[in-house]
Amino acid sequence: MTGPYPPASRRALLRAAGLSAAAAGLPGVAAGCSARDRPAQVAVVWSSQELALFHEVLRGYPAPVEVLSVGDDIDAFLSARHRAGTTPDVAILSQPGLITDYARRGWLAELPDDLGTSYAEDWRDLLRVNGRLYGAWVKAAFKSLFWYQPSIVDSEPQSWEVLVEQVSRMGAAALSHPGAPAPLAIGAADGWVLTDWFENVLAALAPDGLYESLAGGEPGWTDPAVRQSLDLLAEVWSRPGAFVGGPGRALLTQFEESVIQVTTGRAAMVFEADFVQAVVDAFRRPGQPAPKPFKFPVIDGVRPVVVGGDAAVVLRGSPRGEALLRYLTGAYAFEPWIRAGGYLSPNLGVSTDRYPAGLARDLAEDMAAAPLLRFDLSDRLTGSFGGADGLGMWQILQDFFRAVTAPRADTAGAVSDTVRRLDRAARQAADGAYR
Amino acid sequence: MSEASNRLLGELVVLDDVGPVRRGRAYPAAGAATGLLLPAGVLLGGLVLWPALRTLQASVTNPATGDFVGLANFRTALHADGAWPVLGRTLLWAAVVPAVVTVLGYLLAAASRRTYEGRLVRLVLVAPIAVPLVVTAVVFRLMYDPDPGRGTATALAGRVLGTAPAFLGPSLITVSLMSAFVWAWVGLAVVVFRAALDAIPANLADAVRAHGGTRLDVFLDARWRPLVRRTVAVVFALTALATARTFDLILVMAPGSVRYPASVLAVRVWQTSGGSTSGPGAALGVLWFAAVALGTAAAALGIRQAWPPPGQQAPVPAAAGTVTEEEPPAPTRRRPLVGFARRAGRVLPSVAAVAWAFPMLVLVATSLHAPRDAATGGWWTRPLRWDSYRQAFADGTLARSLLFTLVLAAGVTVLVVVLAMLAAYPLAWLSGPVAQGVGLVLLAAMVIPVQVIAGPVNEVLGVLRLSGTAFGLALVHLALGLPFAVLVLRNALADVPAAQVRRVRLTGRREWDVVWRMGRAILPAVVAVTVLEFVQVWNDLVVGLLFSGPDGTPLGLLLYGQARQFVANSGQLAAVATLVSLLPVLLVIAARRQVVAGLVSGALR
């Protein structure tokens, strides 16, 4: 059994060697085949309704496209894929800060200038890095809206003081009568909801230039306007009984769930953008009245207008990313979003009369007419200061929320603490050391 | 006693077994052995060992300049914000959860007898281990939903305690996560302990009792020292190893606002470095691997224990009338305790079975509601409908993902079994320090977490022009599944009796034929490896997250994407989760005996 092997076995070994060599060659062939006819890939952060609408948009594209719904961790996802060399062709990001980061690292393909002419200058400049264009806008969101349940709230608060008074009154009523609806629903588990609250208040209070310089990553978080904004937020958030199930539960409530709470009448008002409409439509029961929007209350005589948006970028090395991007950002591809309602387009080719009359057209006109474009601040920050689950500005504001809604809250201390953390995070991001 | 019933954990139980008995047989010729070992060796060397060395190198190198910096990266990683709490939490997981699983598993195993009901109970308990960890996360997040109108556990706790605690809040999230993990793993402990208790001969306990031993003496001498101590070490080691990778569970079950207080090293490494290998990220990974390896080594040392042969320790009951020097004292009275223990023992398994089946029932019930109903109310309040399943299949991604994962898992399984069989065959005949060394290397390759070596693996795949393809993903799964398969098959091969080996070698025509026949001789181990590898690839999330590409979406990744807006999507999510769990649960239940034997024998030697 351990003697010299007969020649037949050597033949067997050689056969095996030949087979394995062939097997090693197969992947190369397979990779070559697959690279030629594999579908284009798009990475998005959307899920549920927005994802369904995006699939509808893609139906008009001639080639097959695969959609990767990655969620809020898209930065970690794209970083990992970049190191693997398997980036998707196109990524649709809601944070221009990320786009700036990636462009500086050389991960993105530069786009021809004619793609930028469809947008107003303010919008175009958000996607420029060192004078070169790296992205194009797919859709925009009007982020200064409140939605309320008309059967519970009789009058829309026009100013911040009235809002605080309504929340106090309804909160006290909710605490004394267990079945009564709470005044506010807030998706505090999603940090970006809290940063949207903060940005609207800051946009109203900030002196000229402060908002832009903060968005650009410059230090300035110690400005009294920031402190004043946090004070106002603490004023309304700390009202007893303000949230469904209490503040602890609010921190575990995600954004869509907070909209469902208002749709089903568990809460009276929810703050968020126009894309609330899609969630409302999905979860409203036929007999129930639909929540209606009203614009963000006036603070110190100023009504803030903050917008957000999703932009598509082409990852470097993709052969057909640009064609796909042209399609996705064209005026024609915006039709499904208009039909669904609740989405706006910054594309100049989509005129305001394409929107159905009513809220959508109203908001489109407001957005086009706003003198100063205030884009969502946390989305413009670079590095992980901007936010992701458990990191950056999202985490700082969630901690602030937890601190001011605690039973014996030290509001002034919490505000000082938050200002200090924001300032330090901004400095670290500027140094590039925040990762 | 027949050989089959004497066998447990790959070793004969009652007969003497000090040290390796059957090693050191005739070697196959060196050339053939190299040829057999080559595929597995190349795969493991290229996709596991080389990336591990690269990570080690990156951990002591400055990421920007490439100079050697000693321990500076380790210091940076440990001084980063929140590093020590994360480390502490990882150690807490590795200490608390295995202890709970072991104790609970032993109690349930001791309580469930060799009856029909006992077998049914063990079936219910073992099913959760086949369920993907992502699905476990979905199930428990549904149950712990803070809204008492929706979350089952919250509603029950509210009914019992008045106000329900916030299970998913920052103070209780780690406890809730651990409860989910214990639910998934207790079944394995129960089955393993049951097999151990069954293998101990009954007259051992009688002998101790006859010599006046109390219940404690019976436990220590008739159970603990012979076998249970070793089984405890095995179960503890397996569970501790698994807790090092609770990536899927935390990612899906912890809402964004509590991800920070819930983080363990696995999540932190992924979140802060995105699968890269530079500097402090690599240092953190190396620390993590070192901790896991130390724990595994300690457990492996604890498992080595010789059971002394009978006639030297356990006294044989003397024949009636024999006069001995000391009079054996009368057996102590313990009837009341026995009665209570017996009653508790009868009730405990049924209670456990109901408690363990309950979460899966919650999942199925939630999936049988329309998406709108599932998001706004509990499963016990609304009518049943198929809408969620219809919506799950609506756009075709689920069907495509199912097919892709099926093909991937089947392909990887076949390749793993073939390559592991080829490699285990020459390794089974090695003995001495070489065998120990190879065993240790395989063990190390088995416990290395994939997040630590993700970056260099991607580099290797990039060199082969395979990164992002389905074939590349399959190769990574193959490299990660090989060490365990080789260990299990090697142990099984080494146990084949000498006479059978001689017969096979005499009648086999060539080396390949011998290998094939040996494979037939160890069929249970082959079945175990097949089932375990298939289930591992089917249930996976981490590897798909890090290495998948445009060719297709594995099921774990699909579920993760759907769990984003959890409550609003809960109907469809529950439907997809139920569908994804069906196949692995059926497979593991059908092959549970082989699976348990395979899992446990692979951790020894």
Side-chain angles (χ1 to χ4, degrees), chain B residues 2-42:
Chain B
S2 69
E3 251 187 13
S5 70
N6 246 3
R7 213 167 268 288
L8 175 77
L9 309 183
E11 307 228 1
L12 287 178
V13 168
V14 180
L15 304 183
D16 67 296
D17 186 51
V18 187
V21 168
R22 293 189 183 77
R23 308 284 167 78
R25 290 202 194 98
Y27 289 76
T34 317
L36 290 171
L37 285 171
L38 200 63
V42 164

Side-chain angles (χ1 to χ4, degrees), chain B residues 9-11 23 185 188 192 230-242 295-305 436 439-440 442-444 446-447 483-492 529 532 594-605:
Chain B
L9 309 183
E11 307 228 1
R23 308 284 167 78
W185 276 74
L188 179 72
V192 171
R230 194 173 191 185
T231 319
V232 162
V234 169
V235 170
F236 202 96
L238 279 174
T239 316
L241 208 64
T296 314
L301 285 172
I303 289 169
R304 289 217 147 275
Q305 172 220 329
Q436 307 254 9
L440 279 175
L442 285 173
L443 204 61
M446 198 168 84
V447 307
F484 177 72
V486 169
L487 279 175
V488 171
L489 291 180
R490 179 191 81 159
N491 294 346
V529 166
L532 281 171
Q594 292 91 332
V595 162
V596 169
L599 257 181
V600 156
S601 84
L604 297 185
R605 307 176 199 225

Side-chain angles (χ1 to χ4, degrees), chain B residues 496-507:
Chain B
V496 176
Q500 197 173 355
V501 175
R502 231 172 296 138
R503 202 182 330 128
V504 169
R505 292 190 81 113
L506 276 173
T507 56

Side-chain angles (χ1 to χ4, degrees), chain B residues 82-100:
Chain B
W84 282 106
V86 166
L87 269 173
R89 210 171 292 123
T90 315
L91 287 172
L92 191 73
W93 269 87
V96 168
V97 171
V100 172

Side-chain angles (χ1 to χ4, degrees), chain B residues 87 90 244-245 265-267 269 283-293 449-452:
Chain B
L87 269 173
T90 315
R245 307 176 190 210
L265 268 176
V267 176
V269 167
L284 207 60
V286 167
L287 277 177
W288 181 20
F289 172 61
V292 170
V450 68
Q451 289 99 322
V452 170

